[in-house]
Amino acid sequence: MFALRKDDMKITAVLNRDGGTFRTTDMQAYCASAVKAFAAKGHDLDCVVVGGDEVVSALEKASASGADALVAGGGDGTISAAAGIAWKTGLPLGVVPAGTMNLFARSLKLPLDIWKVLDTLADVQIQSVDIATANGRPYVHQFSAGLHARMVRMRNSMNFASKLGKMRASTNAAFGVMLDPPRFEVIFDIDGDGRSDERPVSAISVSNNPLGNNALFFADDLTTGKLGVYLADPLEPTGVFSLAFDIMRGRFTDNQAVTASTAKVLRLHFPKHRQGAACVLDGELLRMPRDVEIKIHAGELKVLVPATA
């Protein structure tokens, strides 16, 4: 799908000063560089720097202020929230990858340097990509339950104050999950074909487009119009280690415990989770109901991409 370039746009950038790289960045200097980069391409950029708890309200205010496009800077949580707002308002979204993993930015083939990405975004090449929802809640990367949710819960219980500290906490949590992997029942129905299957699993991952062959679990193409659906059979510690090894070499679908498929709509039911299931949505740990409906919304999110797109 080709990108469309637009000129003379009014754009608002909302930057999370608490997000990853921005914690150690001179935000005044960064905003000055951003304004200069967009002005050089004929655009008017308003740069707003806020704390993490103000990001959503700032994005909502920007989307209602008459802006022609939004730019969001921060970690994956910030970008996911911004994508949801951009999707609902129909505004194009530019991504400044200032987080730890920057998964959506990787899928969009954006430069991962927060300074270099400014010139790329200032070209304002607009492309339509897919976005997914879980019970109506939008996400751009993945929904997961089981192994990943337990790891995030363990990581969040640890203290870390930096990008490096978060990576260390994630590593420690991964080892903790490896020693005590979860096991639970799930009933799933793909594309409403009337055939529901029930099986025990240790993990479920439902991605916005099928995942690529990489160690970071991000999609290579966000325009297939399909969810990537991945189930891992109940695992012992040795099985988790084997899966982790296959993930690190970017070949997790080769693991004998993993079943991979695609869908446009996926319905999940967790029969033994009366209080709902612990799930992760774009890095955010939350409690979902026993019944979860996941959908792909093909081509409904507009994003700023490199000119080569």
Side-chain angles (χ1 to χ4, degrees):
M1 189 175 296
F2 294 101
L4 174 67
R5 188 179 188 279
K6 289 194 175 183
D7 299 310
D8 304 322
M9 297 183 72
K10 179 182 178 182
I11 302 169
T12 299
V14 176
L15 308 178
N16 179 3
R17 61 170 174 259
D18 299 327
T21 308
F22 281 153
R23 294 180 182 177
T24 55
T25 299
D26 182 337
M27 296 307 295
Q28 184 175 356
Y30 189 79
C31 277
S33 292
V35 170
K36 182 178 179 181
F38 278 81
K41 298 297 177 69
H43 306 294
D44 180 15
L45 180 74
D46 180 25
C47 193
V48 180
V49 179
V50 298
D53 58 350
E54 304 170 285
V55 167
V56 172
S57 60
L59 286 165
E60 290 176 338
K61 181 178 179 181
S63 66
S65 67
D68 298 313
L70 300 175
V71 170
D76 288 327
T78 295
I79 302 308
S80 180
I85 292 170
W87 172 56
K88 292 176 181 178
T89 59
L91 294 175
L93 174 68
V95 174
V96 176
T100 304
M101 305 299 287
N102 303 309
L103 298 169
F104 192 51
R106 293 176 189 272
S107 291
L108 295 176
K109 312 296 191 297
L110 290 169
L112 299 182
D113 182 283
I114 61 172
W115 300 90
K116 291 181 180 179
V117 77
L118 293 176
D119 289 329
T120 298
L121 298 177
D123 275 332
V124 189
Q125 304 282 337
I126 301 174
Q127 182 178 359
S128 295
V129 299
D130 306 338
I131 188 170
T133 57
N135 283 358
R137 181 166 178 159
Y139 70 93
V140 293
H141 177 47
Q142 74 167 335
F143 163 96
S144 61
L147 287 171
H148 187 210
R150 180 170 292 185
M151 189 189 80
V152 171
R153 185 170 68 247
M154 293 178 66
R155 184 196 67 194
N156 290 352
S157 68
M158 304 175 189
N159 294 320
F160 54 86
S162 66
K163 183 176 180 178
L164 181 59
K166 183 177 181 180
M167 293 174 68
R168 288 174 177 169
S170 295
T171 301
N172 292 336
F175 277 111
V177 172
M178 191 176 296
L179 296 174
D180 183 25
R183 177 190 175 111
F184 57 99
E185 301 289 327
V186 63
I187 300 173
F188 60 96
D189 174 18
I190 292 180
D191 288 337
D193 59 8
R195 295 178 297 171
S196 296
D197 294 314
E198 181 174 3
R199 60 187 286 186
V201 296
S202 277
I204 298 171
S205 177
V206 186
S207 56
N208 174 26
N209 283 262
L211 299 172
N213 292 324
N214 57 73
L216 294 180
F217 264 40
F218 64 89
D220 292 330
D221 183 359
L222 293 175
T223 63
T224 70
K226 296 179 181 179
L227 301 165
V229 181
Y230 307 94
L231 304 176
D233 293 336
L235 297 169
E236 299 297 329
T238 54
V240 180
F241 178 82
S242 174
L243 178 59
F245 176 75
D246 286 335
I247 288 173
M248 287 187 292
R249 67 191 187 99
R251 302 297 296 271
F252 75 98
T253 55
D254 291 345
N255 190 279
Q256 62 181 3
V258 174
T259 301
S261 60
T262 61
K264 293 184 178 180
V265 180
L266 176 69
R267 294 179 177 87
L268 301 173
H269 175 67
F270 301 97
K272 297 183 180 180
H273 291 70
R274 295 184 179 180
Q275 302 302 317
C279 302
V280 175
L281 205 62
D282 280 353
E284 181 183 357
L285 183 67
L286 45 85
R287 182 74 59 176
M288 297 290 285
R290 297 174 72 186
D291 293 286
V292 181
E293 182 178 74
I294 304 175
K295 294 181 179 180
I296 193 79
H297 302 267
E300 292 190 13
L301 176 64
K302 298 175 183 177
V303 291
L304 306 187
V305 295
T308 53

